[in-house]
Amino acid sequence: MNLYGWIQLALYILVLLLLTKPVGLYLIRVLDAGGRTFLDPALRPVERLLYRLLGLDPKKEQDWKQYTLSLLAFSFAGLLFTYAILRLQHVLPLNPQGFGPVSPDLAFNTAASFATNTNWQNYAGEITLSYFSQMVGLVFHNFVSAAVGIAVAAALVRGIARPSAKTVGNFWVDLVRLNLYLLLPLSTVFALFLVSQGVVQNFKPYEKATLVEPSNLQAPKNDSAAQTIAQGPTASQAAIKMLGTNGGGFFNANASHPYENPTPLSNFIQMLLIFLIPSGLTYYLGRKVKNQRHGWAVWSAMAILFLAAVLVCWRAESYGNPRLHALGVDPADGNMEGKEVRFGVFNSALFAAITTDASCGAVNSMHDSFTPLGGMIPLFNIQLGEVVFGGVGSGLYGMLVFVVLAIFLTGLMVGRTPAYLGKKIESYDVKVSVLAVIILIFSILGFSAWASVSQWGLAGLNNAGPHGLSEILYAYSSSTGNNGSAFAGLNGNTFWSNITLGLAMLFGRFLMIVPIMALAGNLARKKLPPPSEASFPVSGPMFIIILIGTVLIVGALTFLPALALGPIVEHFLMTGSGILY
Amino acid sequence: MVAKSHSLFEWQIIGPAIVDSFKKLNPLSLLKNPVIFVTEVGAAVITLGLFSRSENEPFGFVLQISFWLWFTVLFANFAEAMAEGRGKAQAKALRKTRTQTIANRLKADGSVERVQAEQLRKNDLVFVSAGEIISADGEIIEGVATVDESAITGESAPVIREAGGDRSAVTGGTRVLSDRIKVRVTANPGESFLDRMICLVEGAARQKTPNEIALTILLSALTIIFLVVIITLKSFGFYSGVTFTVTVLVALLICLIPTTIGGLLNAIGIAGIDRMVQKNVLAMSGRAVEAAGDVDVLLLDKTGTITLGDRQATDFLPAAGVSVEELANAAQLASLADETPEGRSIVILAKKYGLRGRSISEMARTRFVAFSAQTRMSGVDFDGRQIRKGAPDAIRAFAGDNVPSELQGAVSSIALSGGTPLLVADGTKVLGAIHLKDIVKGGLKDRFERFRAMGIKTVMITGDNRLTAAAIAKEAGVDDYMAEAKPEDKLTLIRKEQAAGHLVAMTGDGTNDAPALAQADVGVAMNTGTQAAKEAGNMIDLDSNPTKLIEVVEIGKQMLITRGALTTFSIANDVAKYFAIIPAMLVSVFPVIAPLNIMGLRSPLSAILSAVIFNALIIVALIPLALRGVRFRPLGAAALLRRNLMIYGLGGLIAPFPGIKLADLIVNALHLV
């Protein structure tokens, strides 16, 4: 833990803080069907044309059921669309490497992965997918799945803010406007920026480079004298994968690949892009519910949880592994296994915390190679529900579920039926909120438990003992949480893993969205009395503590036993005995 | 007071409660309480497992765990039985008033027959004479009587009940002291007011309140989550080469699910209704008590609630050239025979000016003139003098329009300040004015101040004109007032407040209050009120004291706070239990994990047993709190939250550490494992 790290951390948080309000204000315009933006002259005609093509009246809003049905129908159609492209990529254009069709289970897994904003990659992009599959089949989802997440968050915020309302917005309008005014322009700008940093953007076949010194470090090695250098339209995908917290790398090595993340500046900007929209959404929340302090309180709770995660991870990684120190590794280097030397311990730890606090899943280091506690942080972040800034939209709606539960748990202590910003939290709201939480827990623990005692689950493991359990837990946490990063020691590209991971992603996304939309609809119809002295305080240190406490207690109480058998035991084994996994 | 508060632990209550705790073990009745139901299933599983346990688990350990799990269920049952027992004790006191009585029933042919009270049916007509007990709830349709209602209200002063108007309702079990009345029975046996009351305090007719339902859903969800945690842990253990026995897994499960609040939830609800009864308020449902906590607008009638109801003389304002003593003397003479509260207050005020009390008998050749609606004056004629006091225009007419101008000014300034002016005249000479004032009850201003801090708005309702209303509102410190209010205006006001999302409480006694009482979220009917009012409201105040509305709100809040505090406490407890049990479960296979045993518990077995013991005993320890309720403090939401969170949140986090450690020390000292 050195001064450069502290300076970068402070700079990162400061820039994020400064961008929160402008992004939030812009979101308010984008998420209002009649909102005006500076892009109107260019994009308004396109928007109108799209509505005409869809036969849509943008002024007509939907109730929560119509909104949810539209969303599910759209996402399911997108899933089928991508599945078809992956299966047919050998007959589709832009396939200079001549890749064959993707296997059915892997195609299902990949289609589910991108439709759910997970971007778990059981394939290696550069040896499996054509440029067409990447650009059309996957990047399409990078945009729309991000928009779907933001749309749900917007619907929930509308539900909280509106007094006695029947509708929560129009899904199609939100979808069109989010893509048109927010995601496309921003990702275009940042794609160009990434190109300026050296990220590749072309349709060329892969290059062969002759090695100066033949390599024989890894086996099997097909090109010990020459190296294949993958190419492709990377920058356009890299920008939206961060901005939309998708995380699916163009290359298998993701953001640790020099063509995807070449410079310290590109690294900084990519990390910033991950939190940009989630952070702005907290401002959007505050503005919409007419309580900006509440928006900032939610932001602060997230920021504190984020800082804690970074610090623990950074501390564990810079401390390194005592067993390796004993073998003569300089303790001052920290744990550099699986890390890019360009990024070092701090930027790897920071990136790992950001990408798992959010549901991004892009990585610039290999989480599997972190120390047990350093690696537990990304895992625990995901298990908390990725509510620390979180995925675009999904972070906010996940956090708002915790807000509802926190207020319900402690709100009685002010002597009234708990109410969130004046809206009473009644049995229906509690029911759908706990449903959203239970689904995640069922999926993560259920699938992990199954995999940890089954042939197919154990077959994919590269590591035994507690570390193997961590890998399994990480896989199902990451897929259920729609994160997409991995403890890559686990080979997920087997039939059963493809199916179970794919299902976990679908459960974690859509089975969570339905109860949350129900919550939005139910909150919307409630009366909204003006705030008074008796209102539950939803800002200030007390609220922030309660919110953090609820997130941690629900997360810790649920996952602690499993974590105890995974990273915690591994940590003690590392420090207390000679065993190393 | 009839319903005396019982000290918390009396053997008459504890004895039956212990018996009931065992009766409540019936799984069917426990199904309503999912947390405790799961605990019972766990206890049963371990008990059955005693005979098929794994070899490395000593019989004594499994036996003790199973004992303590049964105790956990029993303690939860005991808490509920205690709450019910206290209610029953109060019901018993109420039931005593329902002695067997004989009624004089009017037959269709006009003759009277004597029947047992339980044979009376709705709409029967009965006669009740002085000295007899009224045999059923009913409404007087003929006559007027004084009635001793102390059996119900505990108030010894008799009250007047008369046909027509707002004081026509009589309650079964009360005694007629004078006169004879004809009563139409309004309730069948077993459905009377008293019966419903008894049912309620016994907890027999209790239904879960909306908030209890929501909380039960959350507690059930936590139970399901921890079931999944435990079941999957078995797999993870299998993977890791650790065999978790059923005993240990069940023990962990029971420690994690919120047994504390699950076990005390019903007791808290019953105790809430019970506390209302102790204040002589009958809540018709738990829902009403809960709503009382949520109320944020109080509609308060001016007369009787905010003011004493009677106006009092507070000042003599003499005309020019008249001394204050002279005026006081005349005013006292004019009021000597005036038995109204106003008249008496004038006599008392006059004593302050050195006038001793005079008795009517010592005054010769005296003729008292009583107040009448025509003259609107009262007074006395003696020694040829004609002394009168009365409404300003009446005196003006009496004295021949001879009112000095400065008195005119005094009269209008009294009216402006919300008071009632009277003039006093000796013959044609107007001596001065008396200031009669509505007296605001003591302590109200502070109380309203505290309500404001709690976010509750107080609205005074009065038929007075705007000026008077404003003056009294200001003096009493209410937030708002409604002047010149007609009964139907109350309904409109309630609807308006409710539409804005507020919850409204009010008191009422008249038939024309009934629609508003029904519309209000909390409608407290006065026991002296009409049957219609009582049926429309969801609470009845036996003391007929409208100011009690304030206490009703406090009790409602107290119940909600108690529920919230114990929920938070219960969930916060889990952290420490993890630190006790998880290391104990893993240490045999992974000895390196020992540093996680931060409490330094002696052995894995004693750690698990200690956690289970703590988990069971904490329920017993919290029963008094559940029954008494967390002490209520009139603070704003933020302050209340901070305070309770520090006590029950932080306390819940910390308390189990020493608690479990202590249990561990005792377990080891006694060599229990």
Side-chain angles (χ1 to χ4, degrees):
Chain A
M1 296 177 99
N2 53 35
L3 185 63
Y4 295 114
W6 288 106
I7 293 173
Q8 282 191 62
L9 185 57
L11 186 68
Y12 180 82
I13 292 186
L14 184 71
V15 175
L16 184 68
L17 181 63
L18 291 177
L19 286 174
T20 299
K21 182 173 173 179
V23 173
L25 288 176
Y26 188 66
L27 277 165
I28 286 164
R29 289 157 180 255
V30 173
L31 287 167
D32 172 2
R36 306 200 151 274
T37 71
F38 68 97
L39 293 168
D40 276 10
L43 295 178
R44 200 53 127 167
V46 184
E47 190 188 353
R48 286 209 199 94
L49 180 70
L50 279 170
Y51 291 152
R52 209 166 308 138
L53 288 178
L54 292 167
L56 195 73
D57 174 6
K59 289 197 187 67
K60 217 174 136 216
E61 292 212 336
Q62 299 171 307
D63 64 25
W64 78 266
K65 285 178 192 157
Q66 294 163 333
Y67 198 103
T68 313
L69 280 177
S70 307
L71 182 156
L72 292 177
F74 174 76
S75 299
F76 186 65
L79 186 113
L80 289 180
F81 170 69
T82 300
Y83 181 81
I85 287 182
L86 295 177
R87 296 286 293 142
L88 298 172
Q89 68 170 353
H90 54 296
V91 296
L92 291 168
L94 285 178
N95 188 1
Q97 297 300 116
F99 294 128
V102 181
S103 72
D105 53 309
L106 182 58
F108 161 72
N109 183 283
T110 306
S113 172
F114 279 75
T116 56
N117 195 260
T118 310
N119 299 22
W120 172 274
Q121 293 166 299
N122 269 349
Y123 62 92
E126 59 269 43
I127 55 168
T128 320
L129 297 186
S130 71
Y131 292 159
F132 185 84
S133 294
Q134 294 252 25
M135 287 188 71
V136 181
L138 304 187
V139 173
F140 162 75
H141 279 296
N142 280 356
F143 283 93
V144 296
S145 69
V148 163
I150 304 174
V152 173
L156 181 55
V157 171
R158 289 178 193 132
I160 296 163
R162 291 179 175 179
S164 315
K166 287 198 175 70
T167 59
V168 291
N170 184 315
F171 171 71
W172 305 106
V173 173
D174 287 339
L175 182 69
V176 166
R177 290 185 61 87
L178 282 166
N179 278 302
L180 218 47
Y181 293 98
L182 182 73
L183 299 174
L184 280 167
L186 273 179
S187 57
T188 308
V189 170
F190 283 106
L192 288 173
F193 167 79
L194 289 176
V195 169
S196 81
Q197 294 297 303
V199 177
V200 295
Q201 177 76 9
N202 59 40
F203 292 111
K204 288 196 285 189
Y206 297 169
E207 302 234 357
K208 287 260 184 197
T210 313
L211 294 180
V212 179
E213 195 180 323
S215 154
N216 45 18
L217 280 176
Q218 272 185 330
K221 200 78 183 169
N222 304 325
D223 49 358
S224 58
Q227 186 183 0
T228 307
I229 300 177
Q231 303 287 322
T234 312
S236 57
Q237 185 170 331
I240 186 64
K241 90 167 185 210
M242 298 300 180
L243 187 65
T245 62
N246 296 285
F250 189 85
F251 301 115
N252 195 28
N254 210 306
S256 58
H257 194 292
Y259 274 2
E260 205 159 329
N261 187 10
T263 66
L265 187 59
S266 74
N267 190 55
F268 184 83
I269 296 295
Q270 292 195 5
M271 291 192 294
L272 203 57
L273 282 183
I274 298 176
F275 275 179
L276 189 67
I277 295 175
S279 180
L281 276 169
T282 62
Y283 192 87
Y284 170 79
L285 167 73
R287 182 55 75 95
K288 289 302 266 189
V289 302
K290 298 193 183 70
N291 186 342
Q292 203 61 61
R293 281 166 52 85
H294 175 56
W296 285 118
V298 172
W299 189 93
S300 310
M302 291 175 166
I304 291 169
L305 284 166
F306 163 62
L307 263 180
V310 175
L311 294 181
V312 173
C313 187
W314 183 20
R315 166 90 179 75
E317 291 309 295
S318 38
Y319 185 75
N321 185 337
R323 306 254 74 84
L324 292 178
H325 299 162
L327 295 172
V329 174
D330 183 0
D333 288 345
N335 173 29
M336 278 303 290
E337 185 197 321
K339 293 188 177 65
E340 278 282 289
V341 179
R342 311 180 279 141
F343 299 130
V345 165
F346 172 74
N347 266 307
S348 300
L350 179 63
F351 201 111
I354 293 171
T355 198
T356 52
D357 270 338
S359 74
C360 183
V363 292
N364 75 352
S365 58
M366 296 301 125
H367 297 175
D368 196 31
S369 302
F370 278 29
T371 59
L373 289 187
M376 186 174 80
I377 291 301
L379 176 56
F380 191 58
N381 276 342
I382 298 172
Q383 290 174 336
L384 289 183
E386 289 157 343
V387 294
V388 179
F389 296 106
V392 282
S394 60
L396 185 67
Y397 64 65
M399 191 52 133
L400 289 178
V401 167
F402 279 114
V403 168
V404 167
L405 289 178
I407 293 177
F408 183 76
L409 276 172
T410 57
L412 281 171
M413 285 194 290
V414 307
R416 308 181 76 188
T417 301
Y420 176 29
L421 287 161
K423 297 210 159 176
K424 281 217 167 75
I425 304 173
E426 289 156 309
S427 55
Y428 184 86
D429 311 295
V430 173
K431 206 183 295 173
V432 290
S433 300
V434 294
L435 208 55
V437 175
I438 283 185
I439 283 161
L440 289 186
I441 293 168
F442 266 49
S443 178
I444 294 175
L445 288 180
F447 280 123
S448 300
W450 184 17
S452 66
V453 294
S454 62
Q455 284 290 319
W456 59 264
L458 298 172
L461 289 179
N462 288 336
N463 300 73
H467 197 76
L469 185 62
S470 302
E471 288 174 352
I472 293 174
L473 277 170
Y474 200 102
Y476 289 100
S477 301
S478 174
S479 51
T480 304
N482 301 140
N483 186 280
S485 65
F487 263 21
L490 177 94
N491 173 21
N493 188 12
T494 60
F495 178 77
W496 275 109
S497 294
N498 275 330
I499 299 298
T500 50
L501 289 167
L503 286 176
M505 292 185 253
L506 292 174
F507 291 166
R509 178 72 163 184
F510 298 112
L511 288 188
M512 185 165 174
I513 282 181
V514 174
I516 283 169
M517 286 302 301
L519 179 65
N522 198 49
L523 287 176
R525 58 169 195 79
K526 296 186 189 209
K527 287 182 207 156
L528 193 64
S532 76
E533 279 298 315
S535 311
F536 188 91
V538 287
S539 58
M542 193 52 61
F543 173 74
I544 295 172
I545 291 171
I546 290 171
L547 184 54
I548 292 176
T550 308
V551 171
L552 284 181
I553 285 197
V554 170
L557 293 184
T558 313
F559 295 105
L560 196 69
L563 292 176
L565 282 166
I568 295 177
V569 159
E570 195 188 353
H571 169 76
F572 283 106
L573 288 175
M574 178 183 81
T575 54
S577 78
I579 306 167
L580 186 66
Y581 289 95
Chain B
M1 299 244 294
V2 173
K4 272 216 310 248
S5 59
H6 293 263
S7 72
L8 264 185
F9 292 98
E10 272 177 24
W11 279 111
Q12 294 136 286
I13 300 176
I14 290 182
I18 290 174
V19 176
D20 279 352
S21 315
F22 283 91
K23 283 190 194 152
K24 283 171 188 279
L25 284 177
N26 177 1
L28 287 179
S29 67
L30 275 183
L31 261 178
K32 281 178 292 177
N33 191 342
V35 181
I36 300 303
F37 178 74
V38 168
T39 311
E40 184 174 40
V41 171
V45 165
I46 292 192
T47 312
L48 292 176
L50 262 179
F51 309 101
S52 60
R53 64 185 203 289
S54 69
E55 287 138 32
N56 48 10
E57 272 186 332
F59 181 81
F61 169 72
V62 183
L63 186 70
Q64 286 182 76
I65 294 276
S66 88
F67 262 131
W68 282 105
L69 293 189
W70 284 113
F71 275 134
T72 311
V73 181
L74 285 173
F75 290 157
N77 289 347
F78 178 69
E80 193 178 301
M82 277 294 289
E84 285 171 357
R86 279 152 56 84
K88 276 182 193 143
Q90 292 179 345
K92 207 163 140 198
L94 292 169
R95 205 175 263 129
K96 273 188 195 147
T97 63
R98 207 171 45 171
T99 43
Q100 279 308 312
T101 53
I102 304 290
N104 299 310
R105 181 161 65 180
L106 187 69
K107 293 211 293 197
D109 59 9
S111 64
V112 172
E113 58 173 351
R114 291 175 68 79
V115 294
Q116 293 285 332
E118 61 257 39
Q119 285 173 270
L120 290 176
R121 290 293 174 271
K122 218 167 166 173
N123 291 328
D124 279 353
L125 297 177
V126 293
F127 286 105
V128 193
S129 310
E132 288 177 352
I133 286 178
I134 301 172
S135 32
D137 286 5
E139 196 169 19
I140 303 179
I141 53 173
E142 255 181 56
V144 53
T146 47
V147 180
D148 172 10
E149 293 193 341
S150 59
I152 298 284
T153 64
E155 177 63 54
S156 54
V159 293
I160 305 243
R161 293 277 179 251
E162 59 189 330
D166 289 344
R167 289 165 179 267
S168 60
V170 287
T171 312
T174 56
R175 182 185 296 271
V176 173
L177 295 180
S178 72
D179 305 285
R180 183 171 191 258
I181 47 176
K182 186 168 160 190
V183 174
R184 187 165 52 82
V185 176
T186 52
N188 289 326
E191 296 168 14
S192 78
F193 183 53
L194 201 63
D195 292 302
R196 270 187 292 161
M197 237 162 97
I198 291 170
C199 260
L200 275 164
V201 292
E202 282 184 338
R206 212 178 85 85
Q207 283 181 317
K208 279 205 165 91
T209 65
N211 178 259
E212 273 179 307
I213 293 172
L215 193 53
T216 307
I217 290 173
L218 183 75
L219 299 180
S220 310
L222 287 173
T223 308
I224 293 171
I225 288 175
F226 286 122
L227 264 170
V228 172
V229 169
I230 297 302
I231 292 168
T232 55
L233 188 57
K234 179 88 184 158
S235 300
F236 297 141
F238 182 77
Y239 168 94
S240 311
V242 191
T243 315
F244 298 127
T245 63
V246 173
T247 318
V248 169
L249 286 177
V250 170
L252 179 60
L253 174 69
I254 304 305
C255 284
L256 294 181
I257 62 175
T259 44
T260 314
I261 180 64
L264 296 173
L265 189 58
N266 278 336
I268 295 169
I270 297 168
I273 295 184
D274 193 54
R275 272 196 297 278
M276 287 282 185
V277 177
Q278 284 171 26
K279 295 272 179 196
N280 264 3
V281 177
L282 298 179
M284 291 308 183
S285 64
R287 180 189 283 256
V289 182
E290 198 171 286
D294 277 341
V295 158
D296 50 7
V297 175
L298 293 185
L299 297 192
L300 302 164
D301 276 327
K302 184 201 81 174
T303 309
T305 310
I306 292 174
T307 63
L308 287 172
D310 309 316
R311 285 166 301 188
Q312 311 259 314
T314 57
D315 216 355
F316 292 121
L317 304 165
V322 180
S323 73
V324 113
E325 287 78 14
E326 212 175 325
L327 171 62
N329 187 29
Q332 192 188 46
L333 286 171
S335 307
L336 275 180
D338 184 351
E339 280 302 317
T340 63
E342 286 92 345
R344 282 199 300 257
S345 78
I346 293 172
V347 174
I348 291 164
L349 183 67
K351 284 184 188 165
K352 288 198 185 143
Y353 294 92
L355 298 170
R356 63 184 182 84
R358 282 181 271 207
S359 80
I360 300 167
S361 55
E362 67 187 79
M363 295 169 61
R365 285 170 295 134
T366 304
R367 189 178 69 86
F368 289 102
V369 181
F371 178 86
S372 85
Q374 279 84 37
T375 61
R376 295 195 293 141
M377 295 185 298
S378 60
V380 62
D381 295 346
F382 79 104
D383 285 346
R385 289 165 72 185
Q386 285 190 313
I387 300 175
R388 294 288 184 276
K389 68 166 203 295
D393 47 342
I395 295 293
R396 192 176 297 130
F398 172 79
D401 214 356
N402 197 11
V403 182
S405 60
E406 78 275 3
L407 270 189
Q408 287 289 13
V411 164
S412 37
S413 72
I414 291 170
L416 270 179
S417 73
T420 310
L422 291 183
L423 284 180
V424 182
D426 187 348
T428 55
K429 187 179 181 196
V430 179
L431 298 172
I434 305 173
H435 187 166
L436 289 183
K437 205 172 156 186
D438 260 327
I439 303 293
V440 173
K441 288 185 178 174
L444 278 188
K445 198 162 185 167
D446 286 348
R447 229 163 172 177
F448 293 153
E449 187 66 47
R450 281 187 281 153
F451 271 110
R452 203 163 303 122
M454 287 156 55
I456 296 174
K457 186 171 97 170
T458 44
V459 182
M460 182 183 85
I461 310 283
T462 172
D464 292 345
N465 65 51
R466 209 159 279 281
L467 278 176
T468 313
I472 296 171
K474 186 154 176 278
E475 192 183 343
V478 293
D479 295 304
D480 202 356
Y481 62 89
M482 189 182 199
E484 288 159 6
K486 296 182 287 296
E488 58 270 25
D489 293 340
K490 276 191 198 173
L491 188 61
T492 321
L493 182 63
I494 292 174
R495 290 214 171 115
K496 198 185 95 200
E497 295 286 357
Q498 286 174 335
H502 294 293
L503 261 72
V504 184
M506 68 167 284
T507 57
D509 53 4
T511 300
N512 51 23
D513 283 334
L517 278 172
Q519 179 71 33
D521 301 282
V522 174
V524 184
M526 300 295 103
N527 192 39
T528 51
T530 60
Q531 194 65 29
K534 286 197 222 173
E535 298 204 336
N538 50 11
M539 287 189 200
I540 294 172
D541 178 16
L542 296 177
D543 298 339
S544 303
N545 170 9
T547 317
K548 214 189 270 170
L549 189 53
I550 294 163
E551 282 160 87
V552 166
V553 170
E554 291 181 351
I555 291 172
K557 285 197 178 296
Q558 191 187 24
M559 183 177 81
L560 291 173
I561 292 174
T562 308
R563 199 182 284 156
L566 291 179
T567 305
T568 307
F569 185 87
S570 183
I571 292 171
N573 267 204
D574 278 7
V575 176
K577 292 177 197 161
Y578 263 131
F579 275 102
I581 297 186
I582 294 281
M585 288 170 80
L586 302 184
V587 79
S588 61
V589 176
F590 299 107
V592 287
I593 211 166
L596 273 186
N597 179 11
I598 56 172
M599 282 174 266
L601 304 179
R602 190 72 167 275
S603 71
L605 292 186
S606 81
I608 293 167
L609 183 60
S610 306
V612 170
I613 291 174
F614 175 82
N615 192 52
L617 290 180
I618 194 73
I619 297 180
V620 183
L622 290 173
I623 289 177
L625 185 68
L627 296 188
R628 271 200 208 107
V630 169
R631 222 176 111 199
F632 176 76
R633 279 157 214 277
L635 298 170
L640 262 181
L641 183 66
R642 192 171 317 122
R643 196 191 149 76
N644 289 325
L645 205 62
M646 285 307 281
I647 300 176
Y648 300 99
L650 196 61
L653 217 50
I654 295 170
F657 285 99
I660 293 174
K661 178 71 185 168
L662 188 67
D664 182 68
L665 290 175
I666 295 172
V667 163
N668 283 300
L670 300 177
H671 300 289
L672 292 177
V673 288

